Amino acid sequence: FITSAKEAMSLLALVCLSICLSVFKITQKSCHATKPDMLNVHLVPHTHDDVGWLKTVDQYYYGDRNDIQHAGVQYILDSVVDQLLKNPDRRFIYVETAFFYRWWKRQDSSMKQTVQQLVNEGRLEFVNGGWCMSDEATTHYSAVIDQMTMGLRFLNDTFGVCGRPRVAWHIDPFGHAREHASMFAQMGYDGFFFGRLDYQDRYQRMMQKEQELLWRASDSLTPPMADLFTGILPNGYNPPDGFCWDQSCSDPPIRDDPDLEDYNVDDVVKRFLNIASSMVYKTNHIIMTMGSDFQYENANLWYKNLDKLIHYVNAQQDLGSRVNVLYSTPSCYLQELHRANLTWALKTDDFFPYADDAHDFWTGYFSSRPALKRYERLSNSNLQTCNQLEVLGGPTSTNGPFGKGDSQTMKKAMAVAQHHDAVSGTEKQHVANDYARRLATGWQHCQVLVSNGLAVLSGSTAQRFYCDYLNISVCPLTESSKKFSVNVYNPLGRPVTWPVRLPVNGTAYAVSDAAGTSVDCQVLPLSKDTHNVRRSRGFAVNELVFEVQAPPLGFSTYSVSLLQDGPLAASTQPRTPTAIQNKFLKVTFDPDTGLLSSFSNLETTQTIKLTQNFYWYNASDGNNSESIQPSGAYIFRPNSSTPFLISSTAKTEFIQTSVVQEVRQWFSPWVSQVVRLYAHSRTLELEWTVGPLPIHDDLGKEVITRIDTSIESSEIFYTDSNGREVLQRKKDFRPTWHLKQSEPIAGNYYPINSRAYIKDDVDQLTVVTDRSQGGSSIHNGSLEIMLHRRLLYDDVRGVAEPLNETSAIFPEGLVVRGRLLLSLDRPASAADKHRPLAQEMVLQPLLTFTDGDLHPDAKLEFSGLQAALPPAVHLLTLTQWDAQSVLLRLEHQFQSWESDVNSKPVTVNLQKLFSSLEVLGVSELNLSANQWKDEMKRFEWTPQNVPPTCRSVWEVTLKPMEIRTFLLRVRL
């Protein structure tokens, strides 16, 4: 079934297709010939342009603040294009679409035609093609898909099929996630190249000639759907030693005048042949990356010397040399490997953790800058709501009663935030501030769109207020108003129940839902630590707490009225309860210590011993010896395997109401927690507040919470990969090579993007997080998660700045607050709970507020779906594509082995999906929405023929872990 949208897009592509019909036969058009009886050395000129790191993205583009780092991307692109035109043999690859987009917008039509010709001829090749080169440990898959889609769409729209990257290129990220490989495969990439892997792993692969392999990146998707050929570059992403000819390098140029004293051609050729012959790869093709960070600003230096290198090395063939050197690109190199038709080693796990030496594990960044990590995650949720309301609200959402709103500003801010020196927390402080500023600006643009969209759907143009500081109990409207309404928008494709906590000054309120039914609510005193973190930004003394329900892809409105002012009667009890429970869960406390002592699931009659506390690792500082690797933004290196216990007891207060029960715990002046159980919840909430971390003792601190249980986990634990598939981890073990463990703590840390769990045959304890964090299971039956880091020394990995976060509001150090959700289940059914729970944490309801009485004609409830999606199906993307089309992604969110109930194929009818959109046509795309699914062709490294299935075009079946992407032609 071909829609008019597909036909229109196909027509747009015809112009480019007529120019580069042989794009899929790229070797015949733009790849230089190789010699089958020789060692072919593929030289790949490239630049690695961080979308922020030591300088902001703007500073890098313009070449500003060269006192920090000499780098100017606009000059790189200017210079490269000029040099490519001087010799048709030359090649160049470019990666970061965020920069290229800026440069392209500023070019005149003549330059654009020139660049288009270079792209058509394969002389300028785009690789990867996302808005940035994303981090792989701390990013969520939904945000990665979005930023890749944005970059690849620009390349498609600008250059057509000739500009479509065929190779994924992650040369700098600090470890590699299996889910990224799965996504790249589903985006249509033929292969994947990266630069960093563990030094022990590299040594083993060099010995076995397995630096190129086939990565089977899913245990649920049918091969080869998630299979991806993967190559490990020989020198990170730098040129071989002695062969860097950038203006930032000090290697001597090729001096080829034999009449001069410093003639060095013979020496250069000899050294190059020695390096080439020493590289251990499986075929007679090897790759060399000729470039590095922000190089080619004066591209003439590089190309003049590369031209000479190719000429003089190849001249040796007349004297018997068996080495052939050529300008190349990753896709040309990959095609030669594919032609070799060899069998490749298979890998099914991931490349975490990454160490570049015995005591240098890059596992600290899993938790660095926890406030930025949370803000990025919350911004992703807000962006998805913004995208959805742009669709549901129609054209008025972008130009309506509240003005002009847009989602593009937020999309670009979120895309930049996925960079491997952004959400990773490995940038300088002023750059981290810039990422946060961009997200805040994007959200301001989206707020106008959201207000317009909700006005259309509700029929009310009353002013909407946004309370972005509810995590510290600040909301001016609720603190002062006697009557207001709360609109709860749910971006999930299923109904959600959600606790609402609003800062107030009254002592009694009435709350009613959209039907006018009274809702149970309670007023609680704010905790002491909340007063401390607000720093005079709010004046509420109490919290109004109630639970709301919102329909799928829609909203429900709640009315709140003040009943009573005055002081709140004492509701906290300065004691430790023996237990708190609802009809689903029960947790007990040790009355002597104030700590948790057990956790029970009353529905399944499970009980485990469970204690939880806070500790800190003393960071190695390197102050006493240059040989000691310090902890820093990247590196986690505690100076002892035994963390310091912050306190063996907790001072407690107990609050018991019909809505929620809370045990407030204080461990020290800089660590507190609320253990919280809502009346209708099947999870236990731990809300932690950590900071400012004290450094008056001159000790860097890396704070963890550790949960110790009676579960017999046998030193095995499980973590998610970018929020999707779960991988098994084992202490002091790597699945594909023998590990010599030199760091018993840091060497066992893994990224936790949304959840981690431990289990035995009977019990499974799952912890769902609200941001990306690092964690491990160091002891049997234990899970530890790093919450906050404050370090006094740089870890000598380039950022040149200690991770010591302060702010104008917190000059003595950053205070961070977050939530962990704990569930206890039978292993066979645990995923039925933690899968939707993790999605709730990622895509949480958005609260907006209006003051005073609601308009009598306002619509108080709305759902954009005709019915809730099946439990296994997640609505991943709903966003406007063009005036007539929307982009839809539906996802099966269960792995094939994890649920007896939900790990089965599910069918959804697209024509019966939406309540307010009429679906007129549908075409299926690949994951990144830059190719029609039925036209996507990839190299077959392990051919497998899957028989076709006949089904109605409107009915789509999702298999476990499958994401399907559709372009829908719709009418409101």
Side-chain angles (χ1 to χ4, degrees), residues 697-710:
D697 52 7
D698 293 326
L699 299 176
K701 295 177 176 62
E702 312 191 61
V703 178
I704 65 166
T705 184
R706 194 174 80 201
I707 301 168
D708 297 304
T709 75
S710 56

Side-chain angles (χ1 to χ4, degrees), residues 837-887:
L837 186 64
Q839 296 292 6
E840 282 183 27
M841 196 72 113
V842 172
L843 295 181
Q844 65 183 52
L846 174 67
L847 307 183
T848 60
F849 302 85
T850 56
D851 197 12
D853 291 315
L854 289 166
H855 191 282
D857 296 328
K859 188 175 183 178
L860 303 185
E861 199 161 66
F862 165 83
S863 175
L865 299 183
Q866 294 187 30
L869 292 174
V873 178
H874 173 55
L875 193 156
L876 178 59
T877 303
L878 179 64
T879 188
Q880 198 74 37
W881 190 257
D882 57 33
Q884 289 81 36
S885 304
V886 300
L887 189 71

Side-chain angles (χ1 to χ4, degrees), residues 354-362 629 635-637 743 797:
Y354 160 60
D356 58 17
D357 210 339
H359 302 288
D360 306 354
F361 280 86
W362 297 48
Q629 169 64 54
I635 305 293
F636 172 35
R637 195 191 178 194
E743 284 291 328
R797 290 305 183 277

